[in-house]
Amino acid sequence: MSRNGAFISLEGIDGAGKTSLRELLIRGNYFDNIISIREPGGTYISEQIRAILLDARNTGMAPRTEALLYAAARSQVVEEIIRPALAQGQLVIADRYLDSTIAYQGYGRGLDLDFLIQLNHLCTGGLKPDLTLLLDIDPREGLRRRGEEKPDRLEQEGIIFQEKVRQGYLEIAAREPERVKVINAGREQSEVLAEAVEYLRELVGE
Ligand code: TYD
C-alpha cells in the first residue's frame, strides 16, 4: 500500500502530558485531515487487549506476555487504522507507538532489545513514524501531575521503573536524532504545544 500521509508518534513516561498534547493539537485546528489514536487501544479489538494489559489485578503477567500483548494490539491498529489513513493522505497522531515497547518492556522490564525490535518489525510490517515527539519529564513531576488518579498496572511500578523508562527513551532519541525530537515537558503546557506545532509544521510544511 502506498503512503502519502504523515505519521507522528507522541512518547514519554506516565504523566509526561502526551494525552493533553494530543488533544490540544487536534482541538487547535493547526493541521487539516488529522486522525489520532492511542496505544494500547484505538480499535475495538485493541481496546479489549488494553483492558487486560492495564488491569491492576493482573500482577502475575510475565514480561514477554506483556510485550506480545502490546504487539498484538499494535498490529491490529496498524492494519485497521494507520495504514489506510496514511494511504488516504491523512496526518496520523499516535499517543504511543513502538518506542513505548522498547522503553517500557526493554529498558523498564529488561527484555532483550533485539527481540523487541524484531517483534515490533513483525507486528507493524516495518511501519515507523516519520516524526516522534518525546515529552521528557522527571518521573517525580510526572507522578505529581497524575495526582490522585488511580494508578493502572504499569503506573504502580514506581519511580525507579519510570526512571529506567525515561533513560531508555533518551537513549532511543540519541540513536535516532533525525526521527526523535526531545521536548522538555516540565514547562508550561503552552510552551510544549508551541514547540510541538513547530516540529509538525517542519514535517508537513503547513
Ligand atoms: P497510556 O494509555 O498512554 O497511559 P498514560 O495515558 O497514563 O500515559 O499507556 C498505558 C500504559 O502502557 C503506560 O504505562 C505505558 C504502557 N505501555 C507499555 O508498557 N508498552 C507499550 O508498548 C505501550 C504502547 C504502552
Side-chain angles (χ1 to χ4, degrees):
M1 198 181 296
S2 70
R3 53 173 295 193
N4 313 304
F7 180 21
I8 287 103
S9 63
L10 307 179
E11 295 282 1
I13 62 167
D14 298 292
K18 295 171 286 76
T19 306
S20 314
L21 176 63
R22 173 171 67 125
E23 280 163 12
L24 291 169
L25 284 171
I26 288 163
R27 266 194 272 126
N29 282 327
Y30 298 97
F31 304 95
D32 295 334
N33 215 358
I34 289 194
I35 170 171
S36 93
I37 50 137
R38 69 164 181 182
E39 269 211 34
T43 70
Y44 180 67
I45 291 168
S46 312
E47 289 289 337
Q48 292 175 73
I49 301 173
R50 177 186 176 91
I52 302 172
L53 280 163
L54 300 189
D55 188 336
R57 293 166 303 181
N58 283 340
T59 48
M61 192 181 294
R64 256 192 299 269
T65 309
E66 183 177 283
L68 290 165
L69 284 173
Y70 280 113
R74 178 164 307 134
S75 173
Q76 185 68 29
V77 85
V78 165
E79 289 311 313
E80 197 176 321
I81 308 220
I82 302 179
R83 282 191 190 278
L86 291 174
Q88 286 173 17
Q90 289 188 292
L91 175 63
V92 179
I93 300 188
D95 183 345
R96 298 194 181 282
Y97 190 61
L98 43 79
D99 298 312
S100 283
T101 296
I102 306 296
Y104 281 78
Q105 280 66 54
Y107 289 89
R109 299 279 191 222
L111 286 183
D112 181 61
L113 294 182
D114 286 334
F115 162 72
L116 295 172
I117 291 166
Q118 279 183 35
L119 181 65
N120 269 329
H121 193 85
L122 283 172
C123 74
T124 61
L127 179 68
K128 278 190 122 180
D130 301 299
L131 172 70
T132 296
L133 300 180
L134 169 56
L135 302 190
D136 181 52
I137 195 166
D138 185 310
R140 282 160 207 81
E141 173 63 12
L143 187 67
R144 198 187 59 69
R145 286 189 182 180
R146 293 206 310 273
E148 296 302 304
E149 196 186 303
K150 200 160 173 275
D152 65 36
R153 195 175 56 85
L154 277 288
E155 287 168 351
Q156 285 174 351
E157 295 287 338
I159 293 285
I160 293 172
F161 180 76
Q162 296 288 332
E163 188 54 53
K164 284 192 212 163
V165 174
R166 180 193 195 188
Q167 291 310 323
Y169 271 129
L170 292 172
E171 285 190 29
I172 297 169
R175 270 202 306 272
E176 291 183 71
E178 284 300 309
R179 173 177 68 89
V180 184
K181 306 296 178 193
V182 183
I183 295 183
N184 171 2
R187 297 170 300 163
E188 290 295 318
Q189 203 172 48
S190 57
E191 294 176 62
V192 174
L193 174 66
E195 198 175 339
V197 169
E198 214 172 294
Y199 279 126
L200 261 70
R201 286 209 170 112
E202 272 173 34
L203 178 75
V204 299
E206 276 183 34

